[in-house]
Amino acid sequence: MSLSNSNTHKFSLLKHLRCPECGLVHNAAEINTVCNNEDCRSTLFAEYDLPQVLNPEQFLAGRPANMWRYHEFLPVINPDNIVTLGEGFTPILPLANLKAEAGDNEVFWKDESGNPTGSFKARGIGMAVSKAKELGIKHIVTPTAGNAGGALAAYCARAGIKASVYIPQLTPKVFKDECRLYGADLVEVDGNIADCGKLANDDAVQNGWFQVSTLKEPYRLEGKKTMGYELAEQFNWQLPDVIFYPTGGGTGLIGIWKAFNEMEQLGWIGKERPRMVAVQSTSCDGIVSAFHGGQSRSEFKDSGFTIANGLRVPKPYADKQILNVLYQSKGNAIAIDDADMNDAVKHIAAKEGMLIAPEGAALWVAFKKLKAQGWIKADECVLLLNTGSGYKYLENID
Ligand SMILES: *Cc1c(COP(=O)(O)O)cnc(C)c1O
Ligand SMILES: [Zn+2]
């Protein structure tokens, strides 16, 4: 297929959903959650009729600077269903004063903090809500560690869809206030996100609401994958050597990897891939243990509160997919504690003029540790994905 093929007038080239584990194909015109195979229940991946697109610059020229510029490779069929607040096309920023601490490495932030509702959750939730609108869904529910709830509340307000959000009591007040202001029903839960997930599931099943909890719904992944397209475009189709990602449920990590595979099929990048690094909190480091133990799945791990609320995910639903990406990319996994994250938030703010989320600040600590260990080589180009704004976390910072 080439650019002139008749397929390219379609707004979306979505073909179907496929289970990456058992291969079962699912009809994307229907409402889907996880794999229908009772013994499998894996996260589903959207597949597209990917053409060869010889000149990405020409293909993308004049398109809006938001995540919908890649609409052929996104799941919304009819553009009228797009629910947008301008998410995506966030800046790549080279280190400023921290450069002196980075040695020979060129290090960049991709700064997601300017997204609607202050985090990259806007991409995934914006996509899921748009697709839910297209499928006629009227009420959406999610458990949240913080940012997903605010994003869901905002995008549902915009879409005229009812939202219910289940949030741990130990989440900073602003995350709760924004949900209420956006008109969502908020349920505060005395527990972690896994406890929120159970309650959300019970109420959803009972009331027939649609759940968008991480990777149990196919389209948040498609929103987060746009980070992969964007960073390739912004780096002029030469990917960085190493990408650091703060891993909760792992949507962005899996999504960026999926984008790389799609872009290879499009002819936009070659076979080479960055090494992907999952950064967790020492409070919830099941992926780190599983990775270093060479396992294919992680174990439930929760040692309580962390200032990086988004990283308190005791057992990611798509742990197998996360670990696959780490193994395939010859990547790494490392856990950072709250004291180091707290210091890094303050240090980065004072040196860089960026008040970033503790999740993002953890990456700077992780970079320095892996550099000190020699795992990051001199002259390697490194990308740190700052996933959210620090402004919502001020009560967590000492
Ligand atoms: C949700 C969140 C994460 C983790 O994202 P996953 O896709 O669940 O891995 C990281 N940082 C911030 C700021 C978040 O809100
Ligand atoms: Zn399956």
Side-chain angles (χ1 to χ4, degrees):
M1 250 188 289
S2 75
L3 248 184
S4 56
N5 190 288
S6 62
N7 251 347
T8 49
H9 70 256
K10 285 192 191 167
F11 188 74
S12 167
L13 300 174
L14 179 65
K15 204 161 49 167
H16 50 229
L17 301 167
R18 187 191 296 277
C19 174
E21 294 302 321
C22 75
L24 191 66
V25 169
H26 296 64
N27 182 353
E30 293 168 1
I31 295 173
N32 284 278
T33 55
V34 293
C35 178
N36 282 333
N37 176 349
E38 292 286 345
D39 303 325
C40 178
R41 292 292 184 215
S42 160
T43 300
L44 295 174
F45 283 8
E47 288 188 350
Y48 300 82
D49 280 311
L50 294 173
Q52 285 281 307
V53 179
L54 296 182
N55 186 336
E57 269 80 36
Q58 193 189 325
F59 185 77
L60 298 168
R63 296 192 176 200
N66 64 47
M67 73 173 179
W68 298 98
R69 67 196 271 105
Y70 309 106
H71 61 79
E72 285 89 347
F73 323 120
L74 298 175
V76 174
I77 309 289
N78 179 347
D80 294 345
N81 292 319
I82 290 177
V83 183
T84 182
L85 292 161
E87 53 293 325
F89 230 74
T90 56
I92 304 273
L93 302 170
L95 291 186
N97 299 307
L98 284 180
K99 204 169 167 48
E101 297 174 38
D104 303 327
N105 295 106
E106 259 200 298
V107 180
F108 297 89
W109 295 104
K110 183 161 178 62
D111 186 14
E112 292 287 305
S113 65
N115 273 309
T117 68
S119 87
F120 76 153
K121 290 292 194 303
R123 295 178 188 264
I125 295 290
M127 189 63 63
V129 170
S130 299
K131 192 64 191 177
K133 184 179 168 196
E134 185 155 271
L135 293 166
I137 288 165
K138 301 280 184 261
H139 193 144
I140 304 180
V141 53
T142 195
T144 182
N147 282 314
L152 182 71
Y155 281 88
C156 280
R158 188 103 184 159
I161 292 175
K162 186 78 203 152
S164 298
V165 175
Y166 294 70
I167 195 164
Q169 252 156 29
L170 289 178
T171 312
K173 184 172 174 290
V174 61
F175 289 105
K176 301 173 189 169
D177 289 344
E178 68 172 338
C179 289
R180 293 192 187 101
L181 285 167
Y182 291 128
D185 282 335
L186 188 72
V187 180
E188 291 190 43
V189 178
D190 182 12
N192 60 35
I193 193 167
D195 303 311
C196 292
K198 283 186 202 105
L199 285 175
N201 182 62
D202 290 349
D203 287 354
V205 169
Q206 198 168 10
N207 297 297
W209 301 338
F210 185 67
Q211 297 191 65
V212 294
S213 94
T214 302
L215 294 168
K216 293 187 190 169
E217 178 282 339
Y219 301 113
R220 282 175 68 180
L221 180 66
E222 295 304 290
K224 282 210 181 154
K225 111 186 156 183
T226 58
M227 290 187 292
Y229 279 87
E230 266 177 42
L231 70 91
E233 186 179 356
Q234 291 170 314
F235 277 95
N236 209 11
W237 317 108
Q238 295 292 314
L239 300 177
D241 297 301
V242 185
I243 297 179
F244 282 76
Y245 180 82
T247 305
T251 327
L253 185 90
I254 301 166
I256 289 170
W257 195 252
K258 184 173 188 281
F260 292 161
N261 290 334
E262 291 174 1
M263 284 188 290
E264 187 182 341
Q265 290 182 57
L266 290 166
W268 291 1
I269 61 169
K271 287 207 171 336
E272 275 184 42
R273 295 286 183 275
R275 307 205 298 289
M276 304 294 289
V277 182
V279 180
Q280 292 193 292
S281 159
T282 48
S283 157
C284 278
D285 60 355
I287 294 291
V288 175
S289 318
F291 175 78
H292 292 289
Q295 280 131 30
S296 62
R297 297 217 95 119
S298 66
E299 260 145 49
F300 188 99
K301 172 79 195 294
D302 183 26
S303 316
F305 180 78
T306 166
I307 61 169
N309 302 87
L311 302 188
R312 194 169 171 202
V313 180
K315 179 167 168 39
Y317 189 73
D319 51 357
K320 193 163 178 197
Q321 305 296 331
I322 295 172
L323 288 159
N324 275 347
V325 171
L326 300 181
Y327 294 132
Q328 280 176 30
S329 76
K330 302 186 171 54
N332 210 333
I334 182 168
I336 305 300
D337 68 28
D338 274 14
D340 282 349
M341 283 189 239
N342 186 73
D343 289 350
V345 167
K346 294 198 285 193
H347 189 57
I348 294 162
K351 289 280 182 182
E352 301 289 270
M354 295 167 67
L355 186 46
I356 72 175
E359 291 88 338
L363 306 186
W364 174 248
V365 184
F367 160 71
K368 298 246 290 198
K369 289 197 171 180
L370 291 184
K371 186 170 167 60
Q373 289 173 20
W375 190 81
I376 306 262
K377 310 264 176 325
D379 300 326
E380 284 190 315
C381 173
V382 174
L383 182 75
L384 309 176
L385 239 152
N386 175 44
T387 43
S389 166
Y391 286 85
K392 288 176 165 179
Y393 295 77
L394 291 180
E395 68 189 81
N396 283 353
I397 303 304
D398 206 7

